[in-house]
Amino acid sequence: MTFEEFKKMAQTKPEIKCQSIFKVEIFFISMWDMDDSGEDVAPYIVSDIIDLDEPEISFFQTYEQARNLILSKIAEYPKSFYSGRVLELPLGIKIEDSQYLSISVFNRAGDISYHSEIPTIEDMCEEGMEVESICFRGYPEKEMPFNKGELVEVLDRDNSAVCLGIISKNPMSLEATWEQYQETGRMLDNIDCYVIMIGEDDFEYFDTNLISKPSFPVSDDIKDKLHKLYDASLSEHISGLTDFEELLNLL
């Protein structure tokens, strides 16, 4: 198998043979920072966190219906709308909250900031519910969504908030996965996630579908603060993190 054949295999859309439904999650900004006169201040001027309401949940039979709801909410609430997520779910089998057949994430402008058609559901062996096997093999180096040192925001679903952070580790690239296969003969699954510093001495793994470029301009003060924390913590904490390649070898 050549690298081009490997790349084509890795990027082939899976054929899903099951009925599905589309779950919509819409997030709105719940609180704004205020200045001394009580006027609203745009996010990321004085704070690196955006507080959100609990998501509004809806279900539709088609992707188009789900997309139309998100676009209508953007038009109706342009100031408070934060993001919309469309998760394609299989009918008839039990799945975990983080599992889906496909996912699309819409930003404040109504554009898709993340899309994946790689199913995260491992057990699709129920009768009439077959999904051709396809795994995440990494992004091509030139198409990496984010890169080490980049300032991003992360959706913290557990705490209904959005936090600014800095990328400290990328997922393995498609080229690196190919090189590993050439060296070891093993085709290991990669993980579509990044290591991000989201606070002082706090480095965590986040799925790429939770990461995006900042939705609002970030003040120079906040940028400087985060980069100083990142530079001060990098050498100490990166050495203590499990390297992506080492982690994959353990799976």
Side-chain angles (χ1 to χ4, degrees), residues 136-202:
F136 177 70
R137 304 295 185 187
Y139 295 101
E141 291 177 354
K142 294 182 179 180
E143 299 175 19
M144 193 71 68
F146 311 101
N147 290 286
K148 183 176 179 179
E150 183 174 353
L151 182 67
V152 296
E153 64 182 16
V154 180
L155 175 62
D156 182 352
R157 299 171 59 87
D158 293 337
N159 296 304
S160 296
V162 181
C163 308
L164 288 177
I166 296 179
I167 301 287
S168 68
K169 189 75 173 180
N170 294 352
M172 282 182 65
S173 67
L174 194 65
E175 289 83 352
T177 303
W178 170 252
E179 291 176 4
Q180 185 181 67
Y181 172 66
Q182 293 294 98
E183 294 174 0
T184 66
R186 299 173 63 192
M187 187 71 73
L188 298 176
D189 296 346
N190 286 343
I191 304 173
D192 190 5
C193 65
Y194 286 77
V195 176
I196 300 178
M197 186 202 76
I198 59 168
E200 187 173 3
D201 299 330
D202 189 3

